[in-house]
Amino acid sequence: MPGIRRVAFTLVLAGLGILGLDSLLFRTGVYAHYLEPESSTGLFEMILRREQQAQKDHGDDLVVTLGNSRFAYSRKIVDELPQKAAYVFRDAGVAGSNARAWYYMLRDLDPTARRYRAVVIGVDDYDDEDRGYNPDDDIRDLHYVIARLRFTDVVEFARSFRDPKLQWAVLRGGLLKGIIYQNDFQALLSHPQKRLDYVHLCDRDWANWVYGYVESDRNMAGLSIDWATLRVTWPPGLNDDQRGTVNSFLAHAPDPQTGRLAAFRREWFGKIVDRYRGSRTKVIFLALSRGPVPRPDNLVAKKSSSIREMASRPEVLLANEHAFDALERPELFRDGMHLNREGIARFSVMLTGEVERLLGSPQAGSAR
């Protein structure tokens, strides 16, 4: 028995030592600054740092937008409008991300829940349509937010996944961040100066690269879909990405409606809305344009609308569901999901108008 106790004690000490070393390396915030900027975690952290800096440079009439790559607009176009926008728009969205990642972005970007006049969240639909992709089991979220996870977050974060194997992977990675950082750490040790130089370059110039980025002008003109048969008529010259996004996002048979998306939205959008209860900040949900050839509303019977349910709360506003219908034309999309250069230019102007309509003037909004 003493031998067993000695082995157990040794194992506990070893475990605490590993946890302590992992925390020393990966929980101080220093390592997160030197992540590969083009990795999912590195990109998430760069966006967070950029927006924290922007808070110091702008006043109180600040609006932050959150979404994935479909919520694409040009801050440069907004800033150069002939009639100056009433609010300063900032973009904290991350390509490929979802509401779970946005919650952690906002929690550390706005710890007092009072920095912004509005948080604008771009969604595909106000109704809850389950698709083959289930966001609650998207393991990419762990890689986006790993630098933001505290010890107190790990159990709740792991339990938000449905698949038991993913729950275990998330629990293990959340406690020992080195598991998630392993490949990045090895790459850093292999070429440390190269990594440091690139991080410093991105610290200096990345915000300007993003600000001045010009989207492709390719388009989907000539695309049509027979919704009765889901047969697609393709314009000539499309590449695999364009065809793939049409098939995956638009021309697919309805998936079984399980309620998983509604549950996911109620949990993570609910947590975002709860953060702003009693705050001056409004949470605005915005239905994005549906695509170059929008899917008919009657293609699938949607069982719920969790976002409309949240709109009954005083801190939540819904943008006009059809505010961007005019963009739903093949010539304004570069593929089956994303606006092209002209589409983004038009959307940028329409976005500012819709947000200003909802919030009113800054002076009037401060009293709301």
Side-chain angles (χ1 to χ4, degrees), residues 109 179 266 290 304-305 324:
L109 190 57
I179 295 173
R266 289 187 181 108
R290 295 167 292 179
S304 61
S305 178
F324 310 111

Side-chain angles (χ1 to χ4, degrees), residues 307-324:
I307 289 174
R308 288 191 179 89
E309 293 167 10
M310 293 179 202
S312 63
R313 299 177 56 163
E315 59 270 19
V316 176
L317 300 173
L318 286 192
N320 180 350
E321 189 171 4
H322 301 288
F324 310 111

Side-chain angles (χ1 to χ4, degrees), residues 62-73:
L62 200 57
V63 170
V64 67
T65 62
L66 289 162
N68 54 34
S69 60
R70 293 221 328 114
F71 194 175
Y73 67 99

